[in-house]
Amino acid sequence: MPSTAVLECQGLSAGYGGTVVCRGLDITVRSGEVVALIGANGAGKSTTMLTVAGELAPISGRVSVLGSDKRASLATLAKRGLSYVTEERSVIMGLTTADNLRLAGVSAEAACAVFPELRALLGRPAGLLSGGEQQMLTLARALVRNPKLLLADELSLGLAPQIVARLLDVVRAAADTENLGVLLVEQHVRQVLRVADRVYVMRRGQVMLEGTAAEIGADLDAVQRAYLSSG
Ligand code: ATP
């Protein structure tokens, strides 16, 4: 049974004010699929994510999120089942893990089912959690709401490799068990290839290459030389 497209960008151009940063993007994410967006710094990955999340208006082209191509704010998209998480620590540092969850209207039990690591941290101020633990809290809070589309923009920036792997494994599991569609921006290309189904490679605002994770992985050295170095 073909799964539903939870995200479709067609000929999407995006940017800031009058400045076009991304051009002619065709990107699709289906339910249950983990799709990675990779590219050097400044390639336009975050700009793409912000546009899909409703934070930036498309300059031209079409973006359809969860079946609607009418432009909507992030708050509206969130109610329909979009979740947008970034590298920015979005937890409230002075509140405990439990209170951060409570404030988000999320049950601690449900969050601990996503990341059992959080159980021992419930009483601890979020500001005293490690970066990885804070991102577990962020991701648990997002996944407990059963989103249909998760946009994760460098969730694991600056974290140790084993934490990156742990976060990505949980994202992969949510795609498999909850039919979540995921668009993932990550610097850790090899880690991403381990969990992604498909990959889009961006350079200077355009998708230069797309393929299955296996296809991109088989040619990774050439892909890195051609597209992932800065400049
Ligand atoms: P990185 O990995 O460094 O975050 P990226 O692929 O996510 O890179 P973007 O952040 O989308 O790239 O940036 C793409 C281009 O858009 C860059 O040239 C950047 O300078 C420009 N840009 C980013 N944010 C803004 C902004 N708020 N206003 C104007 N230009 C911006």
Side-chain angles (χ1 to χ4, degrees):
M1 192 180 67
S3 49
T4 335
V6 283
L7 169 64
E8 265 186 304
C9 302
Q10 288 171 332
L12 173 67
S13 294
Y16 305 87
T19 312
V20 177
V21 168
C22 300
R23 259 169 252 98
L25 303 181
D26 294 324
I27 292 173
T28 302
V29 178
R30 296 184 186 79
S31 294
E33 196 180 35
V34 177
V35 176
L37 212 51
I38 62 174
N41 288 342
K45 305 176 301 292
S46 295
T47 305
T48 304
M49 296 294 248
L50 285 164
T51 309
V52 171
E55 296 278 85
L56 280 177
I59 292 174
S60 60
R62 177 170 164 262
V63 188
S64 174
V65 179
L66 302 169
S68 169
D69 61 3
K70 215 167 142 242
R71 181 149 192 252
S73 66
L74 177 55
T76 303
L77 293 171
K79 286 193 194 116
R80 291 185 199 147
L82 176 128
S83 185
Y84 176 50
V85 293
T86 70
E87 80 267 37
E88 280 165 40
R89 309 278 186 254
S90 58
V91 297
I92 298 180
M93 301 298 178
L95 292 182
T96 63
T97 300
D99 284 340
N100 267 280
L101 292 167
R102 203 168 294 132
L103 190 70
V106 162
S107 107
E109 268 319 299
C112 294
V114 178
F115 280 107
E117 293 93 327
L118 291 175
R119 190 172 300 284
L121 306 171
L122 286 173
R124 195 172 299 178
L128 297 183
L129 305 184
S130 68
E133 289 164 348
Q134 288 175 1
Q135 291 305 61
M136 286 182 197
L137 173 55
T138 300
L139 191 52
R141 199 174 54 186
L143 292 179
V144 161
R145 296 163 185 274
N146 284 321
K148 298 189 185 89
L149 172 61
L150 173 71
L151 305 175
D153 192 351
E154 298 202 38
L155 187 63
S156 58
L157 192 74
L159 302 179
Q162 61 272 31
I163 305 287
V164 178
R166 177 79 180 114
L167 295 170
L168 292 178
D169 283 347
V170 166
V171 168
R172 177 73 255 178
D176 291 336
T177 61
E178 310 297 326
N179 217 21
L180 172 69
V182 181
L183 185 62
L184 203 63
V185 170
E186 266 299 335
Q187 297 292 349
H188 302 81
V189 174
R190 282 175 202 282
Q191 294 245 28
V192 159
L193 292 178
R194 192 174 55 78
V195 298
D197 296 298
R198 288 189 305 111
V199 180
Y200 294 93
V201 183
M202 286 184 76
R203 182 170 174 85
R204 296 185 184 153
Q206 289 179 288
V207 171
M208 307 300 289
L209 188 67
E210 68 174 281
T212 63
E215 286 164 351
I216 301 293
D219 236 355
L220 189 56
D221 286 346
V223 169
Q224 280 181 317
R225 271 197 308 275
Y227 304 116
L228 302 184
S229 55
S230 294

